[in-house]
Amino acid sequence: MRITRYAAALAATGVVLAGCSSDAGETTEEAAGGGAEVADDVSFDEGTTMAELADAGTITVGTKFDQPGFGLAGPDGVPEGFDVEIAELIAAELGIATDDIEWVETVSANRESFIQNGDVDMVVATYTINDSRKELIDFAGPYYEAGQDIMVAAGNPLGIQGPDDLAGRNVCSVEGSTPAEEIRTNYPEATLTLFDVYSKCADALRNGQVDAVTTDNVILTGLVAGAPEEFELVGNPFTEEPYGIGITKGDDEFRSFINDTLEASFEDGSWAEAWDRTAGAITGTDAPEPPSVDRY
Amino acid sequence: MQFLIDNFDLFWDAFLTTLSLSLLACLVALVLGTILAAMRVSPIPPLRGLATFYVETFRNTPLTVVFFFMIFGLPQIDFVIDFFPGAVLSVGLYTAAFVCEALRSGINSVSPGQAEAARALGLTFGQSLSQVVLPQAFRTVVPPLGNVLIAMVKNTSIAAGFSVSELSSLLPRLVNASAGDLTAILIGVVVGYMLITLPSALAVHRIERRVAILR
């Protein structure tokens, strides 16, 4: 009796795990570690954040752990992706090696408070620059321009071409994200289904519980790349999402330093290399034109 | 405070969702829990075994896993259930296991003489259970049953991760929109839950005082 009870419980768990398996992200980049040269003798003005970090020899970076191509953590807890490589470029410029970076998972809802509380030194996490966030923190960058797009089942059976076609349809996104708010505000005729992570949206689309998934195109291409026979991207971005690096409000020196570092990486090609190793490797797209840094 | 007034509609809708989810799940849990308890004390071994299997499965499975199975597992075998009914069933089926066990402890506290006397009067098993044993059992287990149901109200927050816009789903949503009002958002959500749980606790206390059996 007891044994059958355990066997049944195990079987039930197996079904559940099979149900939640998401193919996205199985194609993690092999080229981990990046190519950033760590600067040897760095010197910064006394009292600046750069000097503090360089002295400490370590930096705490917040990033996403569940976004293929940008920040995806393996079982060892070390994330890989474009955001990660950008953070490594900046750390290298501070004289901090990749191994000395401490990674912290920041999800959409906790990024501002992590920066404000000093839990992280900076956040590189597909983090859209906007005015209400600028009231709480400062942004360096942008280092990438994304746009909100729509993912549908392969073959696009419902013929969804853009956000206007979502009226009366069931569209999935993540609660607390900018794309969800965009649909809620500007396309109220669409029915929103909201989970806490995008992998559940992919499962719901696979099960036919939703008609489409919407968020930034780079996140969706990661999901499509994981299951190309099941999903496809509409490919018609309808918002502009400039990704910035979040830091403590008022730390203008640190912000200028990061902006300088980003511009240098645009110039010397290390930015494009980082793209090719990560998001580019997953999606098969060439590095886009780098955006121009917004020094406000 | 101003923030809470400005967003009253959102909080109210979310509160109603949590309230209706709690009430419906409570109904499922009480009805199913009672049936399970009756099965567990019944003289028919297969019924006892089935109820034991059910209780041990649900009591030892995290509620999140139950939700996952309901929302993402069942569609794999072509059984798609809407998110809200799915949440009601997940919370209800899960809580039923705990209701059953609370009730069974009440049944155990009823002296065997009661059941024997009922049998001696010629009552069937069903009659002696429903007329003699269960009424006494329920009166004994009011406080633990209250605990189970209040815990259930808080457990409904897991539905936020499965597309039900209940109270706790306001946290990520509003924090993303205006992280500066974090304190107000937290207060709004906590007050929402308390508006459900505190009156429940009070009601449980009242009922206990009225029906408690002095042994």
Side-chain angles (χ1 to χ4, degrees):
Chain A
M1 182 63 222
R2 179 144 301 182
I3 289 167
T4 48
R5 187 186 299 162
Y6 290 139
L10 278 176
T13 322
V15 173
V16 170
L17 290 178
C20 78
S21 79
S22 168
D23 294 334
E26 274 171 19
T27 48
T28 15
E29 10 350 42
E30 274 93 40
E37 289 268 319
V38 178
D40 303 332
D41 31 49
V42 290
S43 69
F44 299 102
D45 291 343
E46 200 66 26
T48 59
T49 309
M50 292 83 82
E52 277 172 32
L53 292 171
D55 283 348
T58 174
I59 184 169
T60 310
V61 181
T63 192
K64 299 238 175 118
F65 279 17
D66 64 346
Q67 264 166 27
F70 276 71
L72 181 73
D76 57 354
V78 179
E80 292 170 2
F82 189 57
D83 282 342
V84 172
E85 299 242 344
I86 294 292
E88 286 172 0
L89 281 172
I90 297 162
E93 208 57 30
L94 290 164
I96 299 169
T98 302
D99 290 344
D100 293 326
I101 302 175
E102 194 187 326
W103 301 103
V104 174
E105 181 174 19
T106 46
V107 298
S108 294
N110 68 14
R111 290 177 296 202
E112 288 87 4
S113 47
F114 271 33
I115 296 171
Q116 287 179 310
N117 298 343
D119 296 327
V120 294
D121 297 310
M122 62 179 185
V123 165
V124 197
T126 58
Y127 199 1
T128 302
I129 301 174
N130 69 32
D131 288 341
S132 73
R133 286 172 180 165
K134 275 187 190 168
E135 287 172 17
L136 303 168
I137 57 150
D138 269 330
F139 282 104
Y143 61 93
Y144 185 76
E145 283 269 1
Q148 186 171 348
D149 207 337
I150 301 166
M151 180 173 86
V152 293
N156 199 354
L158 299 169
I160 293 169
Q161 297 304 328
D164 293 319
D165 296 336
L166 293 175
R169 301 288 184 199
N170 204 333
V171 58
C172 188
S173 195
V174 163
E175 183 70 279
S177 67
T178 315
E181 223 40 60
E182 167 75 17
I183 296 291
R184 195 152 17 212
T185 318
N186 295 334
Y187 304 95
E189 272 126 50
T191 311
L192 264 178
T193 296
L194 298 168
F195 292 109
D196 47 356
V197 289
Y198 289 110
S199 52
K200 285 185 188 168
C201 279
D203 282 332
L205 180 60
R206 191 175 284 130
N207 288 336
Q209 289 157 303
V210 298
D211 302 316
V213 180
T214 185
T215 180
D216 296 353
N217 50 358
V218 291
I219 299 171
L220 293 178
T221 36
L223 292 171
V224 172
E229 69 288 348
E230 288 180 291
F231 304 135
E232 73 177 53
L233 198 66
V234 166
N236 180 16
F238 52 95
T239 62
E240 282 172 8
E241 309 287 341
Y243 287 170
I245 294 167
I247 56 165
T248 315
K249 188 161 179 62
D251 196 344
D252 293 340
E253 287 147 340
F254 194 33
R255 187 151 57 90
S256 306
F257 165 79
I258 296 177
N259 282 334
D260 292 343
T261 309
L262 287 176
E263 278 179 347
S265 76
F266 296 165
E267 291 287 318
D268 66 14
S270 50
W271 182 85
E273 282 169 27
W275 173 270
D276 291 341
R277 267 196 304 273
T278 56
I282 286 188
T283 60
T285 52
D286 290 336
E289 277 293 298
S292 52
V293 164
D294 172 27
R295 291 175 189 267
Y296 61 89
Chain B
M1 194 61 211
Q2 190 57 41
F3 180 85
L4 289 177
I5 297 168
D6 292 344
N7 291 285
F8 179 76
D9 286 357
L10 282 180
F11 280 101
W12 180 244
D13 282 349
F15 171 76
L16 289 182
T17 306
T18 294
L19 184 65
S20 47
L21 176 55
S22 301
L23 289 176
L24 290 171
C26 176
L27 196 67
V28 172
L30 285 179
V31 171
L32 182 61
T34 309
I35 295 171
L36 285 169
M39 284 166 70
R40 286 204 77 167
V41 297
S42 78
I44 307 161
L47 283 186
R48 282 206 303 270
L50 199 65
T52 308
F53 174 75
Y54 180 96
V55 167
E56 295 303 339
T57 306
F58 277 88
R59 194 167 59 160
N60 295 299
T61 309
L63 181 53
T64 317
V65 176
V66 176
F67 261 97
F68 229 120
F69 180 78
M70 197 68 72
I71 304 294
F72 295 115
L74 289 182
Q76 303 272 315
I77 50 169
D78 287 329
F79 189 87
V80 178
I81 185 164
D82 270 352
F83 300 117
F84 185 80
V88 168
L89 277 184
S90 301
V91 178
L93 296 183
Y94 175 83
T95 311
F98 294 90
V99 169
C100 166
E101 289 305 90
L103 206 47
R104 200 166 60 91
S105 76
I107 292 172
N108 287 339
S109 76
V110 177
S111 95
Q114 297 277 330
E116 285 161 11
R119 290 301 289 257
L121 285 172
L123 299 186
T124 63
F125 171 76
Q127 282 171 327
S128 64
L129 192 67
S130 61
Q131 310 291 318
V132 179
V133 178
L134 272 183
Q136 297 185 60
F138 265 114
R139 292 167 72 166
T140 312
V141 297
V142 171
L145 212 50
N147 284 344
V148 166
L149 295 179
I150 285 172
M152 187 206 71
V153 172
K154 294 182 286 181
N155 280 341
T156 58
S157 63
I158 297 194
F162 297 88
S163 196
V164 176
S165 300
E166 47 71 78
L167 271 171
S168 69
S169 74
L170 290 180
L171 283 171
R173 175 171 171 191
L174 291 177
V175 168
N176 184 59
S178 47
D181 293 305
L182 182 63
T183 317
I185 297 166
L186 281 171
I187 290 174
V189 169
V190 170
V191 167
Y193 279 106
M194 284 184 158
L195 282 177
I196 301 174
T197 51
L198 285 183
S200 310
L202 198 68
V204 167
H205 196 64
R206 284 267 169 85
I207 295 170
E208 186 199 349
R209 277 203 309 197
R210 289 188 61 154
V211 304
I213 304 169
L214 298 172
R215 290 190 216 273

